[in-house]
Short mmCIF file of all heavy atoms in Angstrom, two decimals:
data_model
loop_
_atom_site.label_atom_id
_atom_site.label_comp_id
_atom_site.label_asym_id
_atom_site.label_seq_id
_atom_site.Cartn_x
_atom_site.Cartn_y
_atom_site.Cartn_z
N PRO A 1 212.75 77.92 19.98
CA PRO A 1 213.88 78.66 19.40
C PRO A 1 214.47 77.97 18.17
O PRO A 1 214.83 78.65 17.19
CB PRO A 1 214.89 78.71 20.56
CG PRO A 1 214.04 78.64 21.79
CD PRO A 1 212.94 77.69 21.44
N GLU A 2 214.55 76.65 18.19
CA GLU A 2 215.10 75.94 17.03
C GLU A 2 214.11 75.96 15.86
O GLU A 2 214.52 76.00 14.70
CB GLU A 2 215.47 74.51 17.40
CG GLU A 2 216.65 74.40 18.36
CD GLU A 2 217.90 75.10 17.82
OE1 GLU A 2 218.15 75.05 16.59
OE2 GLU A 2 218.62 75.72 18.63
N GLN A 3 212.82 75.91 16.15
CA GLN A 3 211.83 76.02 15.08
C GLN A 3 211.95 77.37 14.38
O GLN A 3 211.89 77.44 13.14
CB GLN A 3 210.41 75.86 15.66
CG GLN A 3 210.07 74.46 16.12
CD GLN A 3 208.70 74.43 16.79
OE1 GLN A 3 208.38 75.27 17.64
NE2 GLN A 3 207.89 73.44 16.42
N PHE A 4 212.12 78.40 15.17
CA PHE A 4 212.25 79.73 14.59
C PHE A 4 213.56 79.86 13.81
O PHE A 4 213.60 80.46 12.73
CB PHE A 4 212.19 80.80 15.69
CG PHE A 4 212.13 82.21 15.17
CD1 PHE A 4 211.08 82.63 14.38
CD2 PHE A 4 213.13 83.12 15.48
CE1 PHE A 4 211.01 83.94 13.89
CE2 PHE A 4 213.08 84.42 15.01
CZ PHE A 4 212.02 84.84 14.21
N ALA A 5 214.63 79.27 14.32
CA ALA A 5 215.90 79.30 13.61
C ALA A 5 215.84 78.56 12.28
O ALA A 5 216.43 78.99 11.28
CB ALA A 5 217.00 78.71 14.50
N SER A 6 215.12 77.44 12.25
CA SER A 6 214.96 76.69 10.99
C SER A 6 214.20 77.51 9.97
O SER A 6 214.55 77.54 8.78
CB SER A 6 214.24 75.37 11.25
OG SER A 6 215.02 74.53 12.07
N TYR A 7 213.16 78.17 10.41
CA TYR A 7 212.40 79.07 9.53
C TYR A 7 213.28 80.22 9.05
O TYR A 7 213.27 80.58 7.86
CB TYR A 7 211.18 79.58 10.28
CG TYR A 7 210.56 80.85 9.76
CD1 TYR A 7 210.09 80.95 8.46
CD2 TYR A 7 210.43 81.96 10.61
CE1 TYR A 7 209.51 82.14 8.00
CE2 TYR A 7 209.86 83.13 10.16
CZ TYR A 7 209.40 83.22 8.86
OH TYR A 7 208.83 84.39 8.42
N ALA A 8 214.09 80.79 9.95
CA ALA A 8 214.98 81.88 9.57
C ALA A 8 216.01 81.43 8.53
O ALA A 8 216.32 82.17 7.59
CB ALA A 8 215.70 82.42 10.81
N THR A 9 216.51 80.22 8.68
CA THR A 9 217.45 79.66 7.69
C THR A 9 216.78 79.57 6.33
O THR A 9 217.35 79.97 5.30
CB THR A 9 217.93 78.27 8.13
OG1 THR A 9 218.64 78.38 9.37
CG2 THR A 9 218.84 77.66 7.08
N ALA A 10 215.57 79.04 6.30
CA ALA A 10 214.84 78.90 5.03
C ALA A 10 214.58 80.27 4.41
O ALA A 10 214.71 80.46 3.19
CB ALA A 10 213.52 78.17 5.27
N ALA A 11 214.23 81.26 5.23
CA ALA A 11 213.97 82.61 4.73
C ALA A 11 215.22 83.23 4.14
O ALA A 11 215.19 83.86 3.07
CB ALA A 11 213.40 83.48 5.85
N ALA A 12 216.35 83.07 4.81
CA ALA A 12 217.60 83.64 4.32
C ALA A 12 218.02 82.98 3.01
O ALA A 12 218.48 83.67 2.08
CB ALA A 12 218.70 83.48 5.37
N ARG A 13 217.87 81.66 2.92
CA ARG A 13 218.22 80.97 1.67
C ARG A 13 217.32 81.41 0.53
O ARG A 13 217.79 81.64 -0.60
CB ARG A 13 218.13 79.46 1.88
CG ARG A 13 219.25 78.89 2.74
CD ARG A 13 219.02 77.42 3.05
NE ARG A 13 220.15 76.85 3.79
CZ ARG A 13 220.10 75.69 4.42
NH1 ARG A 13 218.98 74.95 4.40
NH2 ARG A 13 221.16 75.24 5.07
N TRP A 14 216.03 81.54 0.82
CA TRP A 14 215.09 81.99 -0.21
C TRP A 14 215.42 83.40 -0.66
O TRP A 14 215.48 83.69 -1.87
CB TRP A 14 213.66 81.93 0.33
CG TRP A 14 212.65 82.56 -0.59
CD1 TRP A 14 212.20 82.07 -1.78
CD2 TRP A 14 211.99 83.81 -0.40
NE1 TRP A 14 211.29 82.93 -2.34
CE2 TRP A 14 211.14 84.01 -1.50
CE3 TRP A 14 212.02 84.77 0.61
CZ2 TRP A 14 210.33 85.14 -1.63
CZ3 TRP A 14 211.22 85.89 0.49
CH2 TRP A 14 210.39 86.07 -0.62
N MET A 15 215.67 84.29 0.30
CA MET A 15 215.95 85.67 -0.06
C MET A 15 217.29 85.80 -0.79
O MET A 15 217.42 86.60 -1.73
CB MET A 15 215.95 86.54 1.21
CG MET A 15 216.00 88.04 0.93
SD MET A 15 214.69 88.58 -0.22
CE MET A 15 213.25 88.12 0.72
N ARG A 16 218.27 84.98 -0.41
CA ARG A 16 219.55 85.02 -1.10
C ARG A 16 219.40 84.60 -2.55
O ARG A 16 220.13 85.09 -3.43
CB ARG A 16 220.52 84.08 -0.37
CG ARG A 16 221.98 84.16 -0.77
CD ARG A 16 222.64 85.48 -0.36
NE ARG A 16 222.17 86.65 -1.11
CZ ARG A 16 222.32 87.90 -0.71
NH1 ARG A 16 222.90 88.18 0.43
NH2 ARG A 16 221.86 88.91 -1.44
N HIS A 17 218.41 83.73 -2.81
CA HIS A 17 218.12 83.31 -4.18
C HIS A 17 217.38 84.40 -4.95
O HIS A 17 217.53 84.53 -6.17
CB HIS A 17 217.29 82.03 -4.17
CG HIS A 17 216.91 81.52 -5.53
ND1 HIS A 17 215.70 81.85 -6.13
CD2 HIS A 17 217.58 80.74 -6.41
CE1 HIS A 17 215.64 81.27 -7.32
NE2 HIS A 17 216.76 80.59 -7.51
N GLU A 18 216.58 85.22 -4.24
CA GLU A 18 215.73 86.22 -4.90
C GLU A 18 216.47 87.52 -5.20
O GLU A 18 216.07 88.27 -6.09
CB GLU A 18 214.52 86.54 -4.01
CG GLU A 18 213.51 85.43 -3.90
CD GLU A 18 212.77 85.18 -5.20
OE1 GLU A 18 212.67 86.11 -6.03
OE2 GLU A 18 212.29 84.06 -5.40
N THR A 19 217.54 87.81 -4.48
CA THR A 19 218.20 89.11 -4.65
C THR A 19 219.69 89.01 -4.39
O THR A 19 220.13 88.17 -3.60
CB THR A 19 217.58 90.16 -3.71
OG1 THR A 19 218.23 91.43 -3.90
CG2 THR A 19 217.72 89.75 -2.25
N ASP A 20 220.44 89.88 -5.03
CA ASP A 20 221.86 90.02 -4.75
C ASP A 20 222.13 91.14 -3.76
O ASP A 20 223.28 91.37 -3.38
CB ASP A 20 222.62 90.31 -6.05
CG ASP A 20 222.58 89.13 -7.02
OD1 ASP A 20 222.56 87.98 -6.54
OD2 ASP A 20 222.57 89.37 -8.25
N ALA A 21 221.08 91.85 -3.36
CA ALA A 21 221.24 92.98 -2.44
C ALA A 21 221.60 92.48 -1.04
O ALA A 21 221.33 91.33 -0.69
CB ALA A 21 219.94 93.79 -2.38
N PRO A 22 222.19 93.33 -0.23
CA PRO A 22 222.48 92.95 1.16
C PRO A 22 221.21 92.53 1.88
O PRO A 22 220.14 93.12 1.67
CB PRO A 22 223.07 94.23 1.77
CG PRO A 22 223.59 95.01 0.59
CD PRO A 22 222.66 94.70 -0.53
N LEU A 23 221.30 91.52 2.73
CA LEU A 23 220.15 91.03 3.46
C LEU A 23 219.98 91.79 4.77
O LEU A 23 220.94 91.93 5.54
CB LEU A 23 220.28 89.54 3.75
CG LEU A 23 220.33 88.60 2.54
CD1 LEU A 23 220.28 87.15 2.99
CD2 LEU A 23 219.21 88.90 1.55
N LEU A 24 218.76 92.27 4.99
CA LEU A 24 218.41 93.00 6.21
C LEU A 24 217.19 92.33 6.83
O LEU A 24 216.16 92.19 6.16
CB LEU A 24 218.08 94.46 5.90
CG LEU A 24 219.22 95.33 5.34
CD1 LEU A 24 218.65 96.64 4.82
CD2 LEU A 24 220.24 95.61 6.44
N PHE A 25 217.31 91.94 8.09
CA PHE A 25 216.20 91.26 8.76
C PHE A 25 215.90 91.93 10.10
O PHE A 25 216.80 92.37 10.81
CB PHE A 25 216.53 89.80 9.01
CG PHE A 25 216.57 88.94 7.78
CD1 PHE A 25 217.79 88.56 7.24
CD2 PHE A 25 215.40 88.53 7.16
CE1 PHE A 25 217.84 87.77 6.10
CE2 PHE A 25 215.43 87.74 6.02
CZ PHE A 25 216.66 87.35 5.49
N ALA A 26 214.61 91.96 10.44
CA ALA A 26 214.16 92.25 11.79
C ALA A 26 213.55 90.94 12.31
O ALA A 26 212.41 90.63 11.99
CB ALA A 26 213.13 93.36 11.81
N PRO A 27 214.32 90.14 13.04
CA PRO A 27 213.83 88.80 13.39
C PRO A 27 212.52 88.81 14.18
O PRO A 27 211.58 88.08 13.85
CB PRO A 27 214.98 88.22 14.23
CG PRO A 27 216.19 88.95 13.76
CD PRO A 27 215.72 90.34 13.47
N MET A 28 212.45 89.63 15.22
CA MET A 28 211.25 89.70 16.06
C MET A 28 210.85 91.16 16.25
O MET A 28 211.65 91.96 16.73
CB MET A 28 211.52 89.10 17.45
CG MET A 28 211.67 87.61 17.49
SD MET A 28 210.04 86.84 17.55
CE MET A 28 210.54 85.10 17.68
N ASN A 29 209.63 91.49 15.88
CA ASN A 29 209.17 92.86 16.10
C ASN A 29 208.68 93.04 17.53
O ASN A 29 207.82 92.30 18.00
CB ASN A 29 208.03 93.19 15.15
CG ASN A 29 207.54 94.62 15.33
OD1 ASN A 29 208.31 95.56 15.19
ND2 ASN A 29 206.26 94.78 15.66
N GLU A 30 209.25 94.00 18.21
CA GLU A 30 208.80 94.42 19.54
C GLU A 30 208.59 93.26 20.52
O GLU A 30 207.47 92.95 20.95
CB GLU A 30 207.51 95.24 19.44
CG GLU A 30 207.72 96.60 18.82
CD GLU A 30 206.50 97.50 18.97
OE1 GLU A 30 205.36 96.99 19.00
OE2 GLU A 30 206.68 98.72 19.04
N MET A 31 209.68 92.61 20.89
CA MET A 31 209.59 91.54 21.87
C MET A 31 208.95 92.03 23.17
O MET A 31 208.17 91.29 23.80
CB MET A 31 210.99 90.97 22.16
CG MET A 31 211.62 90.25 21.00
SD MET A 31 213.13 89.36 21.48
CE MET A 31 214.23 90.72 21.91
N SER A 32 209.25 93.25 23.57
CA SER A 32 208.71 93.77 24.83
C SER A 32 207.20 93.92 24.77
O SER A 32 206.48 93.52 25.70
CB SER A 32 209.35 95.13 25.15
OG SER A 32 210.72 94.99 25.37
N PHE A 33 206.69 94.49 23.68
CA PHE A 33 205.24 94.66 23.55
C PHE A 33 204.54 93.32 23.45
O PHE A 33 203.50 93.09 24.09
CB PHE A 33 204.90 95.52 22.33
CG PHE A 33 203.42 95.66 22.10
CD1 PHE A 33 202.67 96.53 22.87
CD2 PHE A 33 202.77 94.90 21.13
CE1 PHE A 33 201.30 96.65 22.68
CE2 PHE A 33 201.41 95.00 20.94
CZ PHE A 33 200.67 95.88 21.72
N LEU A 34 205.09 92.40 22.66
CA LEU A 34 204.49 91.09 22.51
C LEU A 34 204.48 90.33 23.84
O LEU A 34 203.50 89.64 24.18
CB LEU A 34 205.22 90.29 21.44
CG LEU A 34 204.72 88.86 21.17
CD1 LEU A 34 203.23 88.83 20.88
CD2 LEU A 34 205.51 88.24 20.01
N ALA A 35 205.56 90.45 24.61
CA ALA A 35 205.61 89.78 25.91
C ALA A 35 204.53 90.30 26.83
O ALA A 35 203.92 89.53 27.60
CB ALA A 35 206.99 89.97 26.54
#
C-alpha cells in the first residue's frame, strides 16, 4: 500500500506540473475483477 501511495504521489506531482486542469484519477481499475 505504501509503495502504491508513493507512486501515486509522484504521478500527482508530475501531472500537476503538466497541466493546470483539474486532476482526475482512477487509482485501481476493477479491484473486484482483479481479485
Side-chain angles (χ1 to χ4, degrees):
E2 291 305 323
Q3 290 175 313
F4 188 61
S6 295
Y7 159 59
T9 298
R13 287 173 176 166
W14 172 73
M15 190 53 61
R16 191 68 291 161
H17 179 266
E18 290 292 335
T19 181
D20 293 327
L23 297 187
L24 296 168
F25 290 103
M28 288 277 183
N29 181 58
E30 290 191 330
M31 293 190 294
S32 296
F33 176 77
L34 179 53

